[in-house]
Amino acid sequence: VRSILDRIADQERSGGRMRESQLGVVRTDPSEDMRLMIENYTVPALASALRDREDILQLCAALLSQDRLDELRDVLLPFERRFVEMRRKRETRLDLRASGFGNLASLEMLRKGLGRMPRRVGLAHRQRAGVVLPLCDVGGIPCVLFEKRSRHLRAHPDEVCLPGGMVSIGDDKSIVSTCLREMYEEIDGLDQGLVTVLGVLRCNWGEVHHLTGVAVTPVVCYVGEIGHMDLKPNADEVAECFTVPLEAILDRDRWVHRQNFAPIFTGGPYIIWGLTGYILERFVKDVLARYQVDLPLQPEESP
């Protein structure tokens, strides 16, 4: 099937019916490119960029009309595909090959990526909750840690979720406090001294509330190298803990998308959907997609 699709694409390009895909402003995909520009840049910043681009186009037109082709080439050279790709890779490389998430440079890049996400207007909600998106390493392989809820629970039994729960107004000083308290209650054996809070994953409040009816704030943390840890889930709430390698999460073929539904991830031991699938995909698209992610080789891939 893939070879047939490739042949069709080649024929349409050669026939002039389909333009070669361009790199866009910040993303290759047009809809994702537009979304990121709208959500991450102010109107004055976009207007200034549009003015600069118009100035460049007018300069190019003037150089062309005067047959000053060498100068025109110098102006347009930085926009050539190979230079755009080189610039993006150089500026946004997230190297996880040496020690997974567990190096300060990678954690700082993720912290900055979360900090650059657009701030959203907070809405008043009667119920608030927080969840942790726990990044970890297993034998040096970057992964995400998940829970499978106990079968006897009244709400969402036997489903995959992230550690977290409702805000305790009397006990929790912040949403981060809520997330960490709930994670330590649900998973015994984590080394609290290794846990690093990277930031809040700012999601669309309307989308989250539509999925859960509760204002849920995801907090991204790095919980360390857990390959040697004896993690013991709280049986009252959690049936088991498991990890999914980041390599699988970044594989687009393992995702299923349906209109008006949360994305579904099929690349782990259990199907991940609903709010957990939504949060996981938002982290991939809004944070990790900023970078060229270099992953360590899996054992079977080693030369």
Side-chain angles (χ1 to χ4, degrees):
V1 174
R2 187 176 295 275
S3 62
I4 293 173
L5 293 175
D6 290 341
R7 188 168 69 249
I8 292 172
D10 290 340
Q11 290 176 354
E12 292 202 343
R13 287 196 183 96
S14 63
R17 288 171 290 180
M18 186 174 68
R19 293 185 304 169
E20 182 180 359
S21 63
Q22 302 303 310
L23 296 178
V25 180
V26 291
R27 292 287 185 276
T28 302
D29 179 74
S31 60
E32 192 68 10
D33 203 27
M34 293 291 291
R35 186 184 70 82
L36 285 173
M37 284 192 288
I38 291 170
E39 294 187 354
N40 287 272
Y41 297 94
T42 63
V43 171
L46 291 173
S48 177
L50 179 61
R51 175 60 187 257
D52 290 344
R53 189 59 54 93
E54 183 65 22
D55 288 345
I56 291 175
L57 289 174
Q58 291 180 17
L59 172 61
C60 291
L63 293 174
L64 181 62
S65 67
Q66 298 168 23
D67 203 29
R68 295 159 61 184
L69 299 184
D70 287 342
E71 294 178 60
L72 176 61
R73 179 182 179 277
D74 291 339
V75 172
L76 291 177
L77 195 60
F79 298 96
E80 190 177 329
R81 188 181 190 92
R82 60 190 175 109
F83 290 112
V84 174
E85 290 176 339
M86 288 172 55
R87 190 162 57 247
R88 288 186 184 177
K89 287 181 179 179
R90 183 175 64 249
E91 294 172 352
T92 60
R93 184 175 295 276
L94 180 64
D95 192 348
L96 304 178
R97 291 172 296 182
S99 54
F101 287 118
N103 66 80
L104 293 178
S106 297
L107 294 180
E108 187 59 28
M109 288 186 72
L110 291 173
R111 194 194 309 275
K112 289 181 178 178
L114 288 164
R116 292 186 183 122
M117 293 182 68
R119 296 188 177 273
R120 300 186 179 274
V121 177
L123 302 177
H125 292 279
R126 185 172 60 85
Q127 293 182 303
R128 291 198 63 202
V131 296
V132 179
L133 183 63
L135 310 180
C136 62
D137 295 305
V138 180
I141 302 298
C143 300
V144 177
L145 176 65
F146 297 94
E147 299 176 349
K148 193 167 187 286
R149 291 171 62 85
S150 294
R151 187 170 298 177
H152 65 266
L153 290 175
R154 185 166 56 93
H156 309 292
D158 216 29
E159 293 181 8
V160 174
C161 67
L162 297 168
M166 302 301 296
V167 172
S168 176
I169 298 177
D171 300 324
D172 298 333
K173 296 181 179 179
S174 67
I175 198 68
V176 173
S177 300
T178 298
C179 292
L180 295 180
R181 173 181 57 77
E182 289 284 346
M183 182 172 66
Y184 298 145
E185 289 177 1
E186 295 171 10
I187 306 175
D188 186 29
L190 288 171
D191 187 340
Q192 299 185 21
L194 295 178
V195 174
T196 302
V197 177
L198 300 176
V200 171
L201 181 66
R202 300 187 185 112
C203 298
N204 185 308
W205 283 102
E207 293 175 346
V208 172
H209 193 268
H210 172 73
L211 290 168
T212 65
V214 179
V216 180
T217 300
V219 174
V220 182
C221 294
Y222 173 63
V223 299
E225 166 65 61
I226 66 171
H228 64 283
M229 295 183 186
D230 182 19
L231 301 184
K232 298 177 181 178
N234 181 344
D236 291 336
E237 302 181 57
V238 183
E240 65 176 286
C241 299
F242 65 94
T243 59
V244 177
L246 185 63
E247 181 178 23
I249 293 171
L250 294 177
D251 185 351
R252 293 185 178 183
D253 292 338
R254 304 191 186 214
W255 287 89
V256 177
H257 295 88
R258 299 179 300 162
Q259 189 173 6
N260 299 324
F261 288 90
I264 301 171
F265 176 71
T266 64
Y270 305 105
I271 299 297
I272 298 175
W273 59 286
L275 178 65
T276 305
Y278 170 83
I279 291 172
L280 186 61
E281 189 188 52
R282 289 270 58 87
F283 179 68
V284 170
K285 286 191 170 182
D286 292 343
V287 180
L288 292 182
R290 297 172 180 267
Y291 308 112
Q292 175 70 34
V293 182
D294 294 328
L295 295 167
L297 292 176
Q298 299 281 359
E300 62 271 17
E301 299 174 354
S302 300

